[in-house]
Amino acid sequence: MTQTTETRELTAEADDAQTARALVEEQVPQGFELLQVHNAMPRGGRVIATAIIREAATRQIEADGPDYAGARDALRAKVPEGERLLSIVVDD
């Protein structure tokens, strides 16, 4: 299974960290996952929450080889640029 490595950034501003996070969470589109939230409080006294999100969808790819190591290497070679390998399932 593979998943994109591309991320997006969301921001929200509020009087406190809890409200800023809630505002960020409301912005996360369906099909995306919230990876990280960082709060900052510049001199103005308001909290700015910056969130990193990524598309949650995964995709399956397959590869064959003469043995596990060969199949694993062939599979890794098929991972598209901009995606990461999440798991390998061996099918006997």
Coordinates of all heavy atoms in Angstrom, one line a residue:
M1 N 0.8 -1.2 0.0 CA 0.0 0.0 0.0 C 0.9 1.2 0.0 O 1.9 1.3 0.7 CB -0.9 0.0 1.2 CG -1.9 -1.1 1.2 SD -3.0 -1.1 2.7 CE -3.8 0.5 2.5
T2 N 0.5 2.2 -0.8 CA 1.2 3.5 -0.8 C 0.2 4.6 -0.5 O -1.0 4.5 -0.5 CB 1.8 3.8 -2.2 OG1 0.8 4.0 -3.2 CG2 2.7 2.7 -2.6
Q3 N 0.8 5.8 -0.1 CA 0.1 7.0 0.2 C 0.9 8.2 -0.2 O 2.1 8.1 -0.1 CB -0.2 7.0 1.7 CG -1.1 8.2 2.2 CD -1.3 8.2 3.7 OE1 -0.4 8.0 4.4 NE2 -2.5 8.5 4.1
T4 N 0.2 9.2 -0.6 CA 0.9 10.4 -1.0 C 1.7 11.0 0.2 O 1.4 10.9 1.3 CB 0.0 11.5 -1.5 OG1 0.7 12.6 -2.0 CG2 -1.0 12.0 -0.5
T5 N 2.8 11.7 -0.2 CA 3.6 12.4 0.8 C 3.3 13.9 0.8 O 3.8 14.6 1.6 CB 5.1 12.2 0.6 OG1 5.5 12.7 -0.7 CG2 5.5 10.7 0.7
E6 N 2.5 14.3 -0.2 CA 2.1 15.7 -0.3 C 1.3 16.1 0.9 O 0.3 15.5 1.3 CB 1.3 15.9 -1.6 CG 1.0 17.4 -1.8 CD 0.2 17.5 -3.1 OE1 0.4 16.8 -4.1 OE2 -0.7 18.4 -3.2
T7 N 1.6 17.3 1.4 CA 0.9 17.8 2.5 C 0.4 19.2 2.2 O 0.9 19.9 1.3 CB 1.7 17.9 3.8 OG1 2.8 18.7 3.6 CG2 2.1 16.5 4.3
R8 N -0.6 19.7 3.0 CA -1.1 21.0 2.8 C -1.1 21.7 4.2 O -1.1 21.0 5.2 CB -2.6 21.0 2.3 CG -2.7 20.5 0.9 CD -4.2 20.6 0.5 NE -4.5 19.8 -0.7 CZ -5.7 19.6 -1.2 NH1 -6.7 20.2 -0.6 NH2 -5.8 18.9 -2.2
E9 N -1.2 23.0 4.2 CA -1.2 23.7 5.5 C -2.5 24.5 5.6 O -3.0 25.1 4.7 CB 0.0 24.7 5.5 CG 0.3 25.3 6.8 CD 1.6 26.2 6.8 OE1 2.6 25.6 6.8 OE2 1.4 27.4 6.7
L10 N -3.0 24.5 6.8 CA -4.2 25.2 7.2 C -3.9 26.1 8.4 O -3.0 25.7 9.2 CB -5.4 24.3 7.6 CG -5.8 23.2 6.6 CD1 -6.8 22.3 7.3 CD2 -6.4 23.9 5.4
T11 N -4.5 27.3 8.5 CA -4.3 28.1 9.6 C -5.6 28.6 10.2 O -6.6 28.8 9.4 CB -3.4 29.3 9.3 OG1 -4.0 30.1 8.3 CG2 -2.0 28.9 8.9
A12 N -5.6 29.0 11.4 CA -6.8 29.6 12.1 C -6.3 30.4 13.2 O -5.2 30.2 13.8 CB -7.7 28.5 12.6
E13 N -7.0 31.5 13.5 CA -6.7 32.4 14.6 C -7.8 32.5 15.6 O -9.0 32.6 15.2 CB -6.3 33.8 14.0 CG -5.8 34.8 15.0 CD -5.4 36.1 14.3 OE1 -5.0 36.0 13.2 OE2 -5.5 37.1 15.0
A14 N -7.5 32.5 16.9 CA -8.5 32.6 17.9 C -7.9 33.2 19.2 O -6.7 33.4 19.3 CB -9.1 31.2 18.2
D15 N -8.8 33.4 20.2 CA -8.3 33.9 21.5 C -7.6 32.9 22.3 O -6.8 33.3 23.2 CB -9.5 34.5 22.3 CG -10.1 35.7 21.6 OD1 -9.3 36.5 21.0 OD2 -11.3 35.9 21.7
D16 N -7.8 31.6 22.1 CA -7.1 30.6 22.9 C -6.8 29.4 22.0 O -7.3 29.2 20.9 CB -8.0 30.1 24.1 CG -9.3 29.6 23.6 OD1 -9.4 28.4 23.3 OD2 -10.3 30.3 23.6
A17 N -5.9 28.5 22.5 CA -5.4 27.4 21.7 C -6.5 26.4 21.4 O -6.5 25.8 20.3 CB -4.2 26.7 22.4
Q18 N -7.3 26.1 22.3 CA -8.4 25.1 22.1 C -9.3 25.5 21.0 O -9.7 24.7 20.1 CB -9.2 24.9 23.4 CG -10.1 23.7 23.3 CD -10.8 23.5 24.7 OE1 -10.7 24.3 25.6 NE2 -11.5 22.4 24.8
T19 N -9.7 26.8 21.0 CA -10.6 27.3 19.9 C -9.9 27.3 18.6 O -10.5 27.0 17.5 CB -11.1 28.7 20.3 OG1 -11.8 28.6 21.5 CG2 -12.1 29.2 19.2
A20 N -8.6 27.7 18.6 CA -7.8 27.8 17.3 C -7.7 26.4 16.7 O -7.9 26.2 15.5 CB -6.4 28.3 17.6
R21 N -7.5 25.4 17.6 CA -7.4 24.0 17.1 C -8.8 23.5 16.5 O -8.9 22.9 15.4 CB -7.0 23.0 18.1 CG -6.9 21.6 17.6 CD -6.5 20.6 18.6 NE -6.4 19.3 18.1 CZ -5.3 18.6 17.7 NH1 -4.1 19.2 17.9 NH2 -5.4 17.5 17.2
A22 N -9.9 23.9 17.2 CA -11.2 23.5 16.7 C -11.5 24.1 15.4 O -12.0 23.5 14.5 CB -12.2 23.9 17.7
L23 N -11.1 25.4 15.2 CA -11.3 26.0 13.9 C -10.4 25.4 12.8 O -10.9 25.3 11.6 CB -10.9 27.5 14.0 CG -11.8 28.4 14.9 CD1 -11.2 29.8 15.1 CD2 -13.2 28.5 14.2
V24 N -9.3 24.9 13.1 CA -8.4 24.2 12.1 C -9.1 22.9 11.8 O -9.2 22.5 10.6 CB -7.0 24.0 12.6 CG1 -6.3 22.9 11.8 CG2 -6.2 25.3 12.6
E25 N -9.6 22.2 12.8 CA -10.2 20.9 12.5 C -11.4 21.0 11.7 O -11.7 20.1 10.8 CB -10.5 20.2 13.9 CG -9.3 19.7 14.6 CD -9.6 19.1 16.0 OE1 -10.8 19.2 16.4 OE2 -8.7 18.6 16.6
E26 N -12.2 22.1 11.8 CA -13.3 22.3 10.9 C -13.0 22.5 9.5 O -13.8 22.3 8.6 CB -14.1 23.6 11.4 CG -14.8 23.4 12.7 CD -15.4 24.7 13.3 OE1 -15.4 25.7 12.5 OE2 -16.0 24.6 14.4
Q27 N -11.7 22.9 9.2 CA -11.3 23.2 7.8 C -10.8 21.9 7.1 O -10.6 22.0 5.9 CB -10.1 24.2 7.8 CG -10.5 25.6 8.3 CD -9.3 26.5 8.3 OE1 -8.7 26.6 7.2 NE2 -8.9 27.0 9.4
V28 N -10.5 20.9 7.8 CA -9.9 19.7 7.2 C -11.0 19.1 6.3 O -12.0 18.6 6.7 CB -9.5 18.6 8.3 CG1 -9.0 17.4 7.6 CG2 -8.5 19.2 9.2
P29 N -10.6 19.0 5.0 CA -11.6 18.4 4.0 C -11.8 16.9 4.2 O -10.9 16.3 4.8 CB -10.9 18.7 2.7 CG -9.7 19.5 2.9 CD -9.4 19.4 4.3
Q30 N -12.9 16.5 3.8 CA -13.2 15.0 3.9 C -12.2 14.3 3.1 O -11.8 14.7 2.0 CB -14.6 14.7 3.4 CG -15.0 13.3 3.6 CD -16.5 13.1 3.5 OE1 -17.3 14.0 3.4 NE2 -16.9 11.8 3.4
G31 N -11.7 13.2 3.6 CA -10.7 12.4 2.9 C -9.3 12.8 3.2 O -8.3 12.2 2.7
F32 N -9.1 13.7 4.2 CA -7.8 14.1 4.6 C -7.6 13.8 6.1 O -8.6 13.7 6.8 CB -7.6 15.6 4.4 CG -7.3 16.0 3.0 CD1 -8.2 16.0 2.0 CD2 -6.0 16.3 2.6 CE1 -8.0 16.3 0.7 CE2 -5.7 16.6 1.3 CZ -6.7 16.6 0.3
E33 N -6.4 13.7 6.5 CA -6.1 13.4 7.9 C -5.2 14.6 8.5 O -4.4 15.1 7.8 CB -5.4 12.1 8.1 CG -4.1 11.9 7.4 CD -3.6 10.5 7.5 OE1 -4.0 9.7 8.3 OE2 -2.7 10.2 6.7
L34 N -5.5 14.9 9.7 CA -4.8 15.9 10.4 C -3.5 15.3 11.0 O -3.5 14.4 11.8 CB -5.6 16.5 11.6 CG -5.0 17.6 12.4 CD1 -4.8 18.9 11.5 CD2 -6.0 18.0 13.5
L35 N -2.3 15.8 10.6 CA -1.1 15.2 11.0 C -0.4 16.0 12.2 O 0.2 15.3 13.0 CB 0.0 15.2 9.8 CG -0.4 14.5 8.6 CD1 0.6 14.7 7.5 CD2 -0.6 13.0 8.9
Q36 N -0.6 17.3 12.2 CA 0.1 18.1 13.2 C -0.5 19.4 13.3 O -1.0 20.0 12.4 CB 1.6 18.3 12.7 CG 2.4 19.2 13.6 CD 3.8 19.3 13.0 OE1 4.2 18.6 12.1 NE2 4.5 20.3 13.5
V37 N -0.6 19.9 14.5 CA -1.0 21.3 14.8 C 0.0 22.0 15.7 O 0.4 21.4 16.7 CB -2.4 21.3 15.5 CG1 -2.8 22.7 15.8 CG2 -3.5 20.6 14.7
H38 N 0.4 23.2 15.2 CA 1.4 24.0 16.0 C 0.7 25.3 16.3 O 0.2 26.0 15.5 CB 2.6 24.2 15.2 CG 3.6 25.1 15.9 ND1 4.4 24.7 16.9 CD2 3.9 26.4 15.6 CE1 5.1 25.8 17.3 NE2 4.8 26.8 16.5
N39 N 0.7 25.7 17.6 CA 0.2 26.9 18.0 C 1.3 27.9 18.3 O 2.3 27.6 18.8 CB -0.6 26.8 19.3 CG -1.9 25.9 19.1 OD1 -2.5 26.0 18.1 ND2 -2.3 25.2 20.1
A40 N 1.0 29.2 17.9 CA 1.9 30.3 18.1 C 1.1 31.4 18.6 O 0.0 31.6 18.3 CB 2.7 30.7 16.8
M41 N 1.8 32.2 19.5 CA 1.1 33.4 20.0 C 2.0 34.6 19.8 O 2.9 34.9 20.6 CB 0.8 33.3 21.5 CG 0.0 34.4 22.1 SD -0.3 34.3 23.8 CE -1.8 33.3 23.8
P42 N 1.9 35.3 18.6 CA 2.7 36.4 18.4 C 2.3 37.6 19.4 O 1.4 37.4 20.2 CB 2.3 36.8 17.0 CG 1.3 35.9 16.5 CD 1.0 34.9 17.6
R43 N 2.9 38.6 19.3 CA 2.7 39.7 20.3 C 1.3 40.2 20.4 O 1.0 40.9 21.4 CB 3.7 40.9 19.9 CG 5.1 40.5 20.1 CD 6.0 41.6 19.9 NE 7.4 41.0 19.8 CZ 8.4 41.7 19.7 NH1 8.4 43.0 19.6 NH2 9.6 41.1 19.6
G44 N 0.5 40.0 19.4 CA -0.9 40.5 19.4 C -1.8 39.8 20.5 O -2.9 40.3 20.7
G45 N -1.3 38.7 21.0 CA -2.1 38.0 22.1 C -3.1 37.0 21.6 O -3.7 36.3 22.3
R46 N -3.3 36.9 20.2 CA -4.1 35.9 19.7 C -3.3 34.6 19.3 O -2.1 34.7 19.0 CB -4.9 36.4 18.5 CG -5.7 37.6 18.8 CD -7.0 37.9 18.2 NE -7.6 37.0 17.2 CZ -8.8 36.5 17.4 NH1 -9.5 36.7 18.5 NH2 -9.3 35.8 16.4
V47 N -4.0 33.5 19.4 CA -3.3 32.2 19.1 C -3.5 31.9 17.6 O -4.6 32.0 17.1 CB -3.9 31.1 19.9 CG1 -3.2 29.7 19.5 CG2 -3.6 31.3 21.4
I48 N -2.4 31.6 16.9 CA -2.5 31.2 15.5 C -2.1 29.7 15.5 O -1.0 29.3 15.8 CB -1.5 32.0 14.6 CG1 -1.9 33.5 14.7 CG2 -1.5 31.5 13.2 CD1 -1.0 34.4 14.0
A49 N -3.1 28.9 15.0 CA -2.8 27.5 14.9 C -2.5 27.2 13.4 O -3.2 27.6 12.5 CB -4.1 26.7 15.3
T50 N -1.4 26.5 13.2 CA -1.0 26.0 11.9 C -1.0 24.5 11.8 O -0.4 23.9 12.7 CB 0.4 26.5 11.5 OG1 0.5 28.0 11.7 CG2 0.8 26.2 10.1
A51 N -1.8 24.0 10.9 CA -2.0 22.5 10.8 C -1.4 22.0 9.5 O -1.4 22.7 8.5 CB -3.4 22.2 10.9
I52 N -0.9 20.8 9.6 CA -0.5 20.0 8.4 C -1.4 18.9 8.2 O -1.7 18.1 9.1 CB 1.0 19.5 8.6 CG1 2.0 20.6 9.0 CG2 1.4 18.7 7.4 CD1 2.2 21.6 8.0
I53 N -2.0 18.8 6.9 CA -2.9 17.7 6.6 C -2.4 17.0 5.4 O -1.6 17.5 4.6 CB -4.3 18.2 6.3 CG1 -4.3 19.2 5.1 CG2 -4.9 18.9 7.6 CD1 -5.7 19.6 4.6
R54 N -2.8 15.7 5.2 CA -2.5 14.9 4.1 C -3.7 14.1 3.7 O -4.5 13.7 4.5 CB -1.3 13.9 4.5 CG -1.0 13.0 3.3 CD 0.2 12.1 3.6 NE -0.1 11.3 4.9 CZ 0.8 11.1 5.8 NH1 2.0 11.6 5.7 NH2 0.5 10.5 6.9
E55 N -3.8 13.8 2.4 CA -4.9 13.0 1.9 C -4.7 11.6 2.5 O -3.6 11.0 2.6 CB -4.8 12.9 0.4 CG -6.0 12.3 -0.3 CD -5.9 12.3 -1.8 OE1 -5.0 13.0 -2.4 OE2 -6.8 11.7 -2.4
A56 N -5.8 11.1 3.0 CA -5.8 9.8 3.7 C -5.9 8.6 2.8 O -5.5 7.5 3.2 CB -7.0 9.7 4.7
A57 N -6.3 8.7 1.5 CA -6.4 7.6 0.6 C -5.1 6.8 0.4 O -4.0 7.4 0.4 CB -6.9 8.1 -0.7
T58 N -5.3 5.5 0.3 CA -4.1 4.7 0.0 C -4.4 4.0 -1.3 O -5.5 3.9 -1.8 CB -3.9 3.6 1.1 OG1 -5.1 2.8 1.2 CG2 -3.6 4.3 2.4
R59 N -3.3 3.4 -1.9 CA -3.5 2.7 -3.1 C -2.6 1.4 -3.1 O -1.5 1.5 -2.5 CB -3.1 3.7 -4.2 CG -2.7 3.3 -5.5 CD -2.4 4.5 -6.3 NE -1.0 4.7 -6.6 CZ -0.4 4.1 -7.6 NH1 -1.0 3.3 -8.4 NH2 0.9 4.3 -7.8
Q60 N -3.1 0.4 -3.7 CA -2.3 -0.9 -3.7 C -1.5 -1.0 -5.0 O -2.0 -0.6 -6.1 CB -3.2 -2.1 -3.6 CG -3.8 -2.2 -2.2 CD -4.6 -3.5 -2.1 OE1 -5.1 -4.1 -3.0 NE2 -4.7 -4.0 -0.8
I61 N -0.3 -1.5 -4.8 CA 0.5 -1.8 -6.0 C 1.0 -3.2 -5.8 O 1.1 -3.7 -4.6 CB 1.7 -0.8 -6.2 CG1 2.6 -0.8 -4.9 CG2 1.2 0.6 -6.5 CD1 3.9 0.1 -5.1
E62 N 1.4 -3.9 -6.8 CA 1.9 -5.3 -6.7 C 3.2 -5.4 -7.5 O 3.4 -4.7 -8.5 CB 0.8 -6.2 -7.3 CG -0.5 -6.2 -6.5 CD -1.5 -7.2 -7.1 OE1 -1.1 -8.0 -8.0 OE2 -2.6 -7.2 -6.6
A63 N 4.0 -6.4 -7.1 CA 5.2 -6.8 -7.8 C 5.5 -8.2 -7.5 O 5.1 -8.8 -6.5 CB 6.3 -5.9 -7.3
D64 N 6.2 -8.8 -8.4 CA 6.7 -10.2 -8.2 C 8.2 -10.3 -8.3 O 8.8 -9.4 -8.7 CB 6.1 -11.1 -9.4 CG 4.6 -11.2 -9.4 OD1 4.1 -11.4 -8.3 OD2 4.0 -11.1 -10.5
G65 N 8.7 -11.4 -7.7 CA 10.1 -11.6 -7.7 C 10.4 -13.1 -7.4 O 9.5 -13.8 -7.0
P66 N 11.7 -13.5 -7.6 CA 12.0 -14.9 -7.4 C 12.0 -15.3 -5.9 O 11.8 -16.5 -5.6 CB 13.4 -15.0 -8.0 CG 14.0 -13.6 -7.9 CD 12.8 -12.7 -8.1
D67 N 12.1 -14.3 -5.1 CA 12.1 -14.6 -3.6 C 11.6 -13.3 -3.0 O 11.3 -12.3 -3.6 CB 13.5 -15.0 -3.1 CG 14.6 -14.0 -3.5 OD1 14.3 -12.8 -3.8 OD2 15.8 -14.4 -3.4
Y68 N 11.5 -13.3 -1.6 CA 11.0 -12.2 -0.9 C 11.8 -10.9 -1.2 O 11.3 -9.8 -1.5 CB 11.0 -12.4 0.6 CG 10.6 -11.2 1.4 CD1 9.2 -10.8 1.5 CD2 11.5 -10.3 2.0 CE1 8.8 -9.7 2.2 CE2 11.2 -9.2 2.6 CZ 9.8 -8.9 2.7 OH 9.4 -7.7 3.4
A69 N 13.1 -11.0 -1.1 CA 14.0 -9.8 -1.3 C 13.8 -9.3 -2.7 O 13.7 -8.0 -2.9 CB 15.4 -10.2 -1.1
G70 N 13.7 -10.1 -3.7 CA 13.5 -9.7 -5.1 C 12.2 -9.0 -5.3 O 12.1 -8.0 -6.0
A71 N 11.1 -9.6 -4.7 CA 9.8 -9.0 -4.9 C 9.7 -7.7 -4.1 O 9.1 -6.7 -4.6 CB 8.8 -10.0 -4.3
R72 N 10.3 -7.6 -3.0 CA 10.4 -6.4 -2.2 C 11.1 -5.3 -2.9 O 10.6 -4.2 -3.0 CB 11.0 -6.6 -0.8 CG 11.1 -5.4 0.1 CD 12.2 -5.5 1.1 NE 13.5 -5.7 0.5 CZ 14.4 -6.4 1.0 NH1 14.3 -7.1 2.1 NH2 15.6 -6.5 0.4
D73 N 12.2 -5.6 -3.5 CA 12.9 -4.6 -4.3 C 12.1 -4.1 -5.5 O 12.1 -2.9 -5.8 CB 14.3 -5.1 -4.7 CG 15.2 -5.3 -3.5 OD1 14.9 -4.8 -2.4 OD2 16.2 -6.0 -3.6
A74 N 11.5 -5.1 -6.2 CA 10.7 -4.7 -7.3 C 9.5 -3.8 -6.9 O 9.1 -2.9 -7.6 CB 10.2 -6.0 -8.0
L75 N 8.9 -4.2 -5.8 CA 7.8 -3.4 -5.3 C 8.2 -1.9 -4.9 O 7.6 -1.0 -5.3 CB 7.2 -4.0 -4.0 CG 6.0 -3.3 -3.4 CD1 4.8 -3.4 -4.4 CD2 5.6 -3.9 -2.1
R76 N 9.4 -1.8 -4.2 CA 9.9 -0.5 -3.9 C 10.2 0.3 -5.1 O 10.0 1.5 -5.1 CB 11.1 -0.6 -3.0 CG 10.8 -1.1 -1.6 CD 12.1 -1.2 -0.8 NE 11.7 -1.5 0.6 CZ 12.6 -2.0 1.5 NH1 13.8 -2.3 1.1 NH2 12.2 -2.3 2.7
A77 N 10.6 -0.3 -6.2 CA 10.9 0.4 -7.4 C 9.7 0.9 -8.1 O 9.7 1.9 -8.9 CB 11.7 -0.5 -8.4
K78 N 8.5 0.3 -7.8 CA 7.3 0.7 -8.4 C 6.5 1.8 -7.6 O 5.5 2.3 -8.1 CB 6.3 -0.5 -8.5 CG 6.8 -1.5 -9.5 CD 5.9 -2.7 -9.6 CE 4.6 -2.4 -10.4 NZ 3.8 -3.6 -10.5
V79 N 7.0 2.2 -6.5 CA 6.4 3.3 -5.7 C 6.6 4.6 -6.4 O 7.7 5.0 -6.7 CB 7.0 3.4 -4.3 CG1 6.4 4.6 -3.5 CG2 6.8 2.1 -3.5
P80 N 5.5 5.2 -6.8 CA 5.5 6.5 -7.6 C 6.2 7.6 -6.8 O 6.1 7.6 -5.6 CB 4.1 6.8 -7.9 CG 3.3 5.6 -7.6 CD 4.1 4.8 -6.6
E81 N 6.9 8.5 -7.5 CA 7.5 9.7 -6.9 C 6.3 10.4 -6.2 O 5.2 10.6 -6.8 CB 8.2 10.5 -7.9 CG 8.9 11.6 -7.3 CD 9.8 12.4 -8.3 OE1 10.3 11.7 -9.2 OE2 9.9 13.6 -8.1
G82 N 6.6 10.9 -5.0 CA 5.6 11.7 -4.3 C 4.7 10.8 -3.4 O 3.7 11.3 -2.8
E83 N 5.0 9.5 -3.4 CA 4.3 8.6 -2.5 C 5.2 7.8 -1.7 O 6.4 7.8 -1.9 CB 3.4 7.6 -3.4 CG 2.3 8.3 -4.1 CD 1.3 7.3 -4.7 OE1 1.3 6.1 -4.3 OE2 0.5 7.8 -5.5
R84 N 4.7 7.2 -0.6 CA 5.5 6.4 0.3 C 4.9 5.1 0.5 O 3.7 4.9 0.4 CB 5.6 7.1 1.7 CG 4.3 7.2 2.4 CD 4.4 8.2 3.6 NE 3.1 8.2 4.3 CZ 3.0 7.8 5.6 NH1 4.0 7.5 6.3 NH2 1.8 7.9 6.1
L85 N 5.7 4.1 0.7 CA 5.3 2.7 0.9 C 4.9 2.6 2.4 O 5.6 2.8 3.3 CB 6.4 1.8 0.6 CG 6.1 0.3 0.6 CD1 5.1 -0.1 -0.4 CD2 7.4 -0.5 0.3
L86 N 3.6 2.2 2.6 CA 3.1 2.0 4.0 C 3.3 0.6 4.5 O 3.6 0.4 5.6 CB 1.6 2.3 4.0 CG 1.2 3.8 3.7 CD1 -0.3 3.9 3.7 CD2 1.8 4.7 4.7
S87 N 3.0 -0.4 3.6 CA 3.1 -1.8 4.1 C 3.4 -2.7 2.9 O 3.0 -2.4 1.8 CB 1.9 -2.2 4.9 OG 0.8 -2.2 4.1
I88 N 3.9 -3.9 3.3 CA 4.1 -5.0 2.3 C 3.3 -6.2 2.8 O 3.5 -6.6 4.0 CB 5.6 -5.3 2.1 CG1 6.3 -4.1 1.6 CG2 5.8 -6.5 1.2 CD1 7.8 -4.3 1.5
V89 N 2.5 -6.8 1.9 CA 1.8 -8.0 2.3 C 2.3 -9.1 1.3 O 2.4 -8.9 0.1 CB 0.3 -7.9 2.1 CG1 -0.4 -9.2 2.3 CG2 -0.2 -6.8 3.0
V90 N 2.8 -10.2 1.9 CA 3.3 -11.3 1.1 C 2.1 -12.3 0.8 O 1.4 -12.7 1.7 CB 4.4 -12.1 1.9 CG1 4.9 -13.3 1.1 CG2 5.5 -11.1 2.2
D91 N 2.0 -12.6 -0.5 CA 0.9 -13.5 -0.9 C 1.6 -14.8 -1.4 O 2.3 -14.7 -2.5 CB 0.1 -12.9 -2.0 CG -1.1 -13.7 -2.4 OD1 -1.4 -14.7 -1.7 OD2 -1.7 -13.4 -3.5
D92 N 1.5 -15.8 -0.7 CA 2.2 -17.1 -1.1 C 1.6 -17.7 -2.3 O 0.7 -18.1 -2.5 CB 2.3 -18.1 0.1 CG 3.2 -17.6 1.2 OD1 4.2 -16.8 0.9 OD2 2.9 -17.8 2.4

